mmCIF file of all heavy atoms in Angstrom:
data_model
loop_
_atom_site.group_PDB
_atom_site.id
_atom_site.type_symbol
_atom_site.label_atom_id
_atom_site.label_comp_id
_atom_site.label_asym_id
_atom_site.label_seq_id
_atom_site.Cartn_x
_atom_site.Cartn_y
_atom_site.Cartn_z
ATOM 1 N N SER A 1 109.385 103.102 87.562
ATOM 2 C CA SER A 1 110.112 104.025 86.702
ATOM 3 C C SER A 1 109.253 104.315 85.487
ATOM 4 O O SER A 1 108.263 103.625 85.233
ATOM 5 C CB SER A 1 111.466 103.435 86.288
ATOM 6 O OG SER A 1 111.282 102.252 85.541
ATOM 7 N N ARG A 2 109.646 105.332 84.750
ATOM 8 C CA ARG A 2 108.889 105.684 83.551
ATOM 9 C C ARG A 2 109.830 106.123 82.450
ATOM 10 O O ARG A 2 110.903 106.683 82.714
ATOM 11 C CB ARG A 2 107.866 106.785 83.860
ATOM 12 C CG ARG A 2 108.441 108.125 84.248
ATOM 13 C CD ARG A 2 107.346 109.058 84.768
ATOM 14 N NE ARG A 2 106.320 109.302 83.766
ATOM 15 C CZ ARG A 2 105.117 109.793 84.043
ATOM 16 N NH1 ARG A 2 104.788 110.076 85.292
ATOM 17 N NH2 ARG A 2 104.242 110.005 83.078
ATOM 18 N N ASP A 3 109.422 105.865 81.226
ATOM 19 C CA ASP A 3 110.134 106.315 80.040
ATOM 20 C C ASP A 3 109.142 107.134 79.237
ATOM 21 O O ASP A 3 108.293 106.571 78.525
ATOM 22 C CB ASP A 3 110.667 105.117 79.240
ATOM 23 C CG ASP A 3 111.517 105.528 78.065
ATOM 24 O OD1 ASP A 3 111.371 106.675 77.578
ATOM 25 O OD2 ASP A 3 112.316 104.704 77.612
ATOM 26 N N ASN A 4 109.228 108.450 79.363
ATOM 27 C CA ASN A 4 108.229 109.302 78.707
ATOM 28 C C ASN A 4 108.339 109.253 77.188
ATOM 29 O O ASN A 4 107.346 109.464 76.485
ATOM 30 C CB ASN A 4 108.360 110.737 79.215
ATOM 31 C CG ASN A 4 107.940 110.871 80.659
ATOM 32 O OD1 ASN A 4 107.056 110.158 81.139
ATOM 33 N ND2 ASN A 4 108.585 111.786 81.384
ATOM 34 N N ALA A 5 109.530 108.970 76.686
ATOM 35 C CA ALA A 5 109.700 108.860 75.235
ATOM 36 C C ALA A 5 108.947 107.654 74.679
ATOM 37 O O ALA A 5 108.541 107.655 73.516
ATOM 38 C CB ALA A 5 111.179 108.761 74.892
ATOM 39 N N LYS A 6 108.766 106.651 75.517
ATOM 40 C CA LYS A 6 108.057 105.444 75.100
ATOM 41 C C LYS A 6 106.640 105.375 75.644
ATOM 42 O O LYS A 6 105.951 104.371 75.465
ATOM 43 C CB LYS A 6 108.837 104.199 75.539
ATOM 44 C CG LYS A 6 110.193 104.059 74.873
ATOM 45 C CD LYS A 6 110.886 102.772 75.312
ATOM 46 C CE LYS A 6 112.221 102.610 74.598
ATOM 47 N NZ LYS A 6 112.923 101.365 75.007
ATOM 48 N N ASN A 7 106.211 106.421 76.351
ATOM 49 C CA ASN A 7 104.870 106.414 76.949
ATOM 50 C C ASN A 7 104.641 105.170 77.790
ATOM 51 O O ASN A 7 103.563 104.542 77.731
ATOM 52 C CB ASN A 7 103.779 106.504 75.871
ATOM 53 C CG ASN A 7 103.503 107.937 75.433
ATOM 54 O OD1 ASN A 7 104.321 108.818 75.680
ATOM 55 N ND2 ASN A 7 102.374 108.152 74.799
ATOM 56 N N THR A 8 105.627 104.809 78.591
ATOM 57 C CA THR A 8 105.554 103.560 79.337
ATOM 58 C C THR A 8 106.028 103.763 80.769
ATOM 59 O O THR A 8 106.991 104.481 81.018
ATOM 60 C CB THR A 8 106.410 102.470 78.661
ATOM 61 O OG1 THR A 8 105.948 102.277 77.318
ATOM 62 C CG2 THR A 8 106.321 101.151 79.411
ATOM 63 N N VAL A 9 105.314 103.110 81.674
ATOM 64 C CA VAL A 9 105.738 103.065 83.067
ATOM 65 C C VAL A 9 106.012 101.599 83.417
ATOM 66 O O VAL A 9 105.342 100.702 82.909
ATOM 67 C CB VAL A 9 104.695 103.697 84.006
ATOM 68 C CG1 VAL A 9 103.378 102.939 83.967
ATOM 69 C CG2 VAL A 9 105.216 103.794 85.424
ATOM 70 N N TYR A 10 107.010 101.392 84.261
ATOM 71 C CA TYR A 10 107.451 100.038 84.603
ATOM 72 C C TYR A 10 107.331 99.799 86.107
ATOM 73 O O TYR A 10 107.371 100.726 86.904
ATOM 74 C CB TYR A 10 108.906 99.835 84.191
ATOM 75 C CG TYR A 10 109.182 100.093 82.731
ATOM 76 C CD1 TYR A 10 109.701 101.312 82.308
ATOM 77 C CD2 TYR A 10 108.926 99.116 81.770
ATOM 78 C CE1 TYR A 10 109.954 101.565 80.975
ATOM 79 C CE2 TYR A 10 109.178 99.353 80.432
ATOM 80 C CZ TYR A 10 109.686 100.578 80.038
ATOM 81 O OH TYR A 10 109.926 100.814 78.713
ATOM 82 N N LEU A 11 107.222 98.533 86.451
ATOM 83 C CA LEU A 11 107.313 98.121 87.844
ATOM 84 C C LEU A 11 108.237 96.916 87.900
ATOM 85 O O LEU A 11 107.854 95.823 87.481
ATOM 86 C CB LEU A 11 105.943 97.783 88.421
ATOM 87 C CG LEU A 11 105.931 97.484 89.921
ATOM 88 C CD1 LEU A 11 106.248 98.748 90.718
ATOM 89 C CD2 LEU A 11 104.584 96.903 90.357
ATOM 90 N N GLN A 12 109.451 97.149 88.375
ATOM 91 C CA GLN A 12 110.409 96.071 88.568
ATOM 92 C C GLN A 12 110.157 95.452 89.931
ATOM 93 O O GLN A 12 110.211 96.158 90.949
ATOM 94 C CB GLN A 12 111.837 96.590 88.482
ATOM 95 C CG GLN A 12 112.901 95.536 88.721
ATOM 96 C CD GLN A 12 112.944 94.475 87.641
ATOM 97 O OE1 GLN A 12 112.876 94.787 86.457
ATOM 98 N NE2 GLN A 12 113.045 93.217 88.050
ATOM 99 N N MET A 13 109.876 94.161 89.946
ATOM 100 C CA MET A 13 109.538 93.469 91.187
ATOM 101 C C MET A 13 110.574 92.400 91.462
ATOM 102 O O MET A 13 110.719 91.449 90.681
ATOM 103 C CB MET A 13 108.141 92.848 91.069
ATOM 104 C CG MET A 13 107.059 93.851 90.668
ATOM 105 S SD MET A 13 105.399 93.148 90.712
ATOM 106 C CE MET A 13 105.538 91.906 89.431
ATOM 107 N N ASN A 14 111.302 92.556 92.545
ATOM 108 C CA ASN A 14 112.327 91.606 92.955
ATOM 109 C C ASN A 14 111.945 90.960 94.279
ATOM 110 O O ASN A 14 111.082 91.462 94.999
ATOM 111 C CB ASN A 14 113.673 92.319 93.092
ATOM 112 C CG ASN A 14 114.155 92.934 91.803
ATOM 113 O OD1 ASN A 14 113.882 92.434 90.713
ATOM 114 N ND2 ASN A 14 114.866 94.042 91.910
ATOM 115 N N SER A 15 112.608 89.868 94.584
ATOM 116 C CA SER A 15 112.372 89.161 95.850
ATOM 117 C C SER A 15 110.877 88.936 96.079
ATOM 118 O O SER A 15 110.345 89.210 97.164
ATOM 119 C CB SER A 15 112.971 89.950 97.023
ATOM 120 O OG SER A 15 114.356 90.165 96.833
ATOM 121 N N LEU A 16 110.232 88.432 95.069
ATOM 122 C CA LEU A 16 108.779 88.260 95.146
ATOM 123 C C LEU A 16 108.389 87.237 96.202
ATOM 124 O O LEU A 16 109.102 86.257 96.439
ATOM 125 C CB LEU A 16 108.220 87.868 93.778
ATOM 126 C CG LEU A 16 108.120 89.033 92.789
ATOM 127 C CD1 LEU A 16 108.029 88.524 91.361
ATOM 128 C CD2 LEU A 16 106.929 89.906 93.125
ATOM 129 N N LYS A 17 107.240 87.493 96.797
ATOM 130 C CA LYS A 17 106.700 86.634 97.849
ATOM 131 C C LYS A 17 105.317 86.136 97.425
ATOM 132 O O LYS A 17 104.632 86.796 96.630
ATOM 133 C CB LYS A 17 106.567 87.431 99.144
ATOM 134 C CG LYS A 17 107.844 88.095 99.624
ATOM 135 C CD LYS A 17 107.584 88.955 100.853
ATOM 136 C CE LYS A 17 108.846 89.644 101.326
ATOM 137 N NZ LYS A 17 108.590 90.479 102.531
ATOM 138 N N PRO A 18 104.879 85.015 97.974
ATOM 139 C CA PRO A 18 103.533 84.530 97.631
ATOM 140 C C PRO A 18 102.450 85.569 97.892
ATOM 141 O O PRO A 18 101.460 85.629 97.143
ATOM 142 C CB PRO A 18 103.375 83.300 98.527
ATOM 143 C CG PRO A 18 104.778 82.800 98.717
ATOM 144 C CD PRO A 18 105.621 84.033 98.788
ATOM 145 N N GLU A 19 102.641 86.406 98.889
ATOM 146 C CA GLU A 19 101.630 87.422 99.193
ATOM 147 C C GLU A 19 101.596 88.559 98.171
ATOM 148 O O GLU A 19 100.721 89.422 98.233
ATOM 149 C CB GLU A 19 101.829 88.005 100.596
ATOM 150 C CG GLU A 19 103.234 88.464 100.902
ATOM 151 C CD GLU A 19 104.049 87.407 101.637
ATOM 152 O OE1 GLU A 19 103.985 86.213 101.268
ATOM 153 O OE2 GLU A 19 104.768 87.796 102.592
ATOM 154 N N ASP A 20 102.523 88.560 97.227
ATOM 155 C CA ASP A 20 102.481 89.525 96.127
ATOM 156 C C ASP A 20 101.540 89.066 95.014
ATOM 157 O O ASP A 20 101.300 89.814 94.058
ATOM 158 C CB ASP A 20 103.870 89.754 95.543
ATOM 159 C CG ASP A 20 104.831 90.402 96.522
ATOM 160 O OD1 ASP A 20 104.410 91.344 97.234
ATOM 161 O OD2 ASP A 20 106.000 89.975 96.577
ATOM 162 N N THR A 21 101.028 87.864 95.114
ATOM 163 C CA THR A 21 100.114 87.342 94.102
ATOM 164 C C THR A 21 98.861 88.193 94.016
ATOM 165 O O THR A 21 98.183 88.432 95.016
ATOM 166 C CB THR A 21 99.738 85.886 94.429
ATOM 167 O OG1 THR A 21 100.905 85.070 94.347
ATOM 168 C CG2 THR A 21 98.686 85.371 93.461
ATOM 169 N N ALA A 22 98.572 88.685 92.807
ATOM 170 C CA ALA A 22 97.424 89.574 92.598
ATOM 171 C C ALA A 22 97.351 89.928 91.122
ATOM 172 O O ALA A 22 98.274 89.642 90.354
ATOM 173 C CB ALA A 22 97.565 90.849 93.425
ATOM 174 N N VAL A 23 96.265 90.581 90.760
ATOM 175 C CA VAL A 23 96.192 91.253 89.466
ATOM 176 C C VAL A 23 96.734 92.662 89.677
ATOM 177 O O VAL A 23 96.308 93.373 90.593
ATOM 178 C CB VAL A 23 94.755 91.309 88.916
ATOM 179 C CG1 VAL A 23 94.718 92.078 87.604
ATOM 180 C CG2 VAL A 23 94.205 89.895 88.741
ATOM 181 N N TYR A 24 97.682 93.043 88.838
ATOM 182 C CA TYR A 24 98.329 94.346 88.946
ATOM 183 C C TYR A 24 97.771 95.282 87.871
ATOM 184 O O TYR A 24 97.682 94.902 86.690
ATOM 185 C CB TYR A 24 99.832 94.205 88.793
ATOM 186 C CG TYR A 24 100.494 93.663 90.037
ATOM 187 C CD1 TYR A 24 100.319 92.334 90.420
ATOM 188 C CD2 TYR A 24 101.274 94.485 90.859
ATOM 189 C CE1 TYR A 24 100.898 91.836 91.584
ATOM 190 C CE2 TYR A 24 101.863 93.994 92.013
ATOM 191 C CZ TYR A 24 101.662 92.673 92.369
ATOM 192 O OH TYR A 24 102.247 92.188 93.522
ATOM 193 N N TYR A 25 97.442 96.489 88.302
ATOM 194 C CA TYR A 25 96.862 97.497 87.420
ATOM 195 C C TYR A 25 97.713 98.762 87.433
ATOM 196 O O TYR A 25 98.212 99.166 88.482
ATOM 197 C CB TYR A 25 95.465 97.889 87.893
ATOM 198 C CG TYR A 25 94.454 96.773 87.943
ATOM 199 C CD1 TYR A 25 94.323 95.991 89.080
ATOM 200 C CD2 TYR A 25 93.634 96.502 86.853
ATOM 201 C CE1 TYR A 25 93.383 94.963 89.144
ATOM 202 C CE2 TYR A 25 92.690 95.485 86.903
ATOM 203 C CZ TYR A 25 92.577 94.726 88.058
ATOM 204 O OH TYR A 25 91.654 93.710 88.106
ATOM 205 N N CYS A 26 97.823 99.406 86.277
ATOM 206 C CA CYS A 26 98.394 100.743 86.251
ATOM 207 C C CYS A 26 97.253 101.738 86.046
ATOM 208 O O CYS A 26 96.180 101.385 85.534
ATOM 209 C CB CYS A 26 99.453 100.894 85.173
ATOM 210 S SG CYS A 26 98.851 100.745 83.485
ATOM 211 N N ALA A 27 97.493 102.977 86.439
ATOM 212 C CA ALA A 27 96.452 103.995 86.380
ATOM 213 C C ALA A 27 97.095 105.374 86.260
ATOM 214 O O ALA A 27 98.251 105.564 86.642
ATOM 215 C CB ALA A 27 95.571 103.930 87.620
ATOM 216 N N THR A 28 96.312 106.320 85.765
ATOM 217 C CA THR A 28 96.796 107.686 85.578
ATOM 218 C C THR A 28 96.057 108.659 86.489
ATOM 219 O O THR A 28 94.862 108.515 86.755
ATOM 220 C CB THR A 28 96.589 108.167 84.136
ATOM 221 O OG1 THR A 28 95.174 108.223 83.862
ATOM 222 C CG2 THR A 28 97.237 107.249 83.133
ATOM 223 N N GLN A 29 96.824 109.661 86.932
ATOM 224 C CA GLN A 29 96.260 110.846 87.554
ATOM 225 C C GLN A 29 96.516 111.998 86.611
ATOM 226 O O GLN A 29 97.639 112.464 86.502
ATOM 227 C CB GLN A 29 96.940 111.138 88.899
ATOM 228 C CG GLN A 29 96.402 110.422 90.090
ATOM 229 C CD GLN A 29 97.008 110.951 91.379
ATOM 230 O OE1 GLN A 29 98.132 111.447 91.420
ATOM 231 N NE2 GLN A 29 96.272 110.815 92.468
ATOM 232 N N SER A 30 95.489 112.439 85.899
ATOM 233 C CA SER A 30 95.685 113.531 84.949
ATOM 234 C C SER A 30 95.868 114.865 85.665
ATOM 235 O O SER A 30 96.522 115.769 85.140
ATOM 236 C CB SER A 30 94.523 113.611 83.968
ATOM 237 O OG SER A 30 93.301 113.765 84.665
#
């Protein structure tokens, strides 16, 4: 999800699994 008023994008992660272990990055497509 994103909140443009706050210039922020979110990633809500539920039911996490060990295979979700990683470094997470956000990125833009201008």
Side-chain angles (χ1 to χ4, degrees):
S1 62
R2 66 190 300 163
D3 185 337
N4 291 328
K6 296 182 178 180
N7 276 18
T8 302
V9 62
Y10 304 98
L11 186 68
Q12 178 66 44
M13 306 186 296
N14 299 329
S15 303
L16 283 160
K17 305 175 181 180
E19 50 264 43
D20 295 318
T21 295
V23 177
Y24 283 71
Y25 300 88
C26 65
T28 64
Q29 275 189 332
S30 57

